[in-house]
Amino acid sequence: MDSTALLRETIVENLKTGTWRAGHRIPTERALCEQFGMGRSAVRRVLAQLKDAGLISQTVGSGTYVTEQAPGLLPALGNTPLASTSPAELMEARMALEPAIVEMVVRNATSADFARMDQCCEQAERASSLDEFEHWDGLLHEVIAEAAHNSFISNVFRLMNQARAQGEWGMLKRKSVTPERRAAYQQEHRALVAALRERDLGTALAHTREHLLHVRRNLLGL
């Protein structure tokens, strides 16, 4: 089990056993980083998933707390489709959905959307660890989806990013991403964002499909 999955399971287990009850302040991000040997971006991604699930709440300047609703939400947690989504299934979904939204992005994206895409690219290029790169890589695709300005699409991509944080995807990514492949992904991201900014639908679609095929080949050997 990788560190991301271990952190998530540890927190959930503490909630299930009642070790951490409603209102309990869980350890800081820094403490969790040290305990599980993870980067801060990876810890934040796990906490964001649990926050989206309603299990924890975060207050700036105060900390992260178990919610009052957590006990009632825990029984359904193991039934989430994310728990049984394989990397192959996720890639199949991405290849079906991501090209389909490009036309909406070309039509609806704003200058603010493109600025956020640029920020994701810049942060990914500066990332000092694979966990940090994966965070900004996933966020870029989520930001592109949000640029369609369709709330349903945005929610679907948030769910897909949560699935990317599952342990099996992380293990495959660590095995498959070499410095050379990471550099290629970064170039592909820049080319895609440039095509979207130019409202060039044909080129944006081509870049999207090329990038997804590249990721699938490196990740799954297909």
Side-chain angles (χ1 to χ4, degrees), residues 14-42:
N14 281 328
L15 298 179
K16 286 181 176 178
T17 60
T19 303
W20 294 351
R21 299 180 182 276
H24 178 87
R25 185 176 185 271
I26 75 173
T28 64
E29 290 179 1
R30 183 174 182 177
L32 293 173
C33 288
E34 293 174 355
Q35 181 180 350
F36 291 89
M38 299 169 62
R40 183 157 289 189
S41 62

Side-chain angles (χ1 to χ4, degrees), residues 164-192:
R164 282 170 62 128
Q166 300 300 304
E168 190 177 357
W169 177 279
M171 287 187 288
L172 283 175
K173 203 70 182 286
R174 283 175 177 80
K175 292 178 181 178
S176 69
V177 177
T178 62
E180 294 76 18
R181 286 174 175 175
R182 174 176 159 178
Y185 291 159
Q186 290 168 181
Q187 291 177 352
E188 290 165 5
H189 289 159
R190 287 290 191 178
L192 172 57

Side-chain angles (χ1 to χ4, degrees), residues 56-217:
I56 62 173
S57 62
Q58 295 175 304
T59 304
V60 177
S62 177
T64 303
Y65 298 87
V66 179
T67 65
E68 295 288 339
Q69 298 81 15
L73 295 172
L74 283 169
L77 191 63
N79 297 326
T80 173
L82 297 183
S84 58
T85 301
S86 70
E89 289 173 324
L90 178 57
M91 278 308 311
E92 187 175 31
R94 289 186 64 188
M95 294 187 70
L97 293 172
E98 292 190 35
I101 69 161
V102 165
E103 184 173 355
M104 285 186 284
V105 175
V106 166
R107 185 172 63 246
N108 298 330
T110 67
S111 58
D113 293 322
F114 294 127
R116 292 182 66 205
M117 294 178 203
D118 287 338
Q119 180 189 26
C120 290
C121 289
E122 290 165 6
Q123 292 294 336
E125 290 160 4
R126 294 174 185 168
S128 59
S129 68
L130 180 58
D131 278 339
E132 188 177 1
F133 170 73
E134 175 70 358
H135 167 75
W136 289 106
D137 179 350
L139 188 59
L140 171 63
H141 289 278
E142 188 174 312
V143 166
I144 290 172
E146 289 176 352
H149 293 279
N150 180 299
S151 60
F152 181 80
I153 292 292
S154 297
N155 289 332
V156 167
F157 270 78
R158 288 192 190 98
L159 188 67
M160 289 174 68
N161 263 359
Q162 290 177 34
R164 282 170 62 128
Q166 300 300 304
E168 190 177 357
W169 177 279
M171 287 187 288
L172 283 175
K173 203 70 182 286
R174 283 175 177 80
K175 292 178 181 178
S176 69
V177 177
T178 62
E180 294 76 18
R181 286 174 175 175
R182 174 176 159 178
Y185 291 159
Q186 290 168 181
Q187 291 177 352
E188 290 165 5
H189 289 159
R190 287 290 191 178
L192 172 57
V193 171
L196 292 171
R197 180 180 277 109
E198 293 296 321
R199 317 282 180 178
D200 185 340
L201 178 59
T203 301
L205 283 170
H207 284 318
T208 298
R209 294 188 180 108
E210 179 184 0
H211 175 64
L212 292 173
L213 287 169
H214 191 188
V215 172
R216 186 180 70 174
R217 184 167 60 251

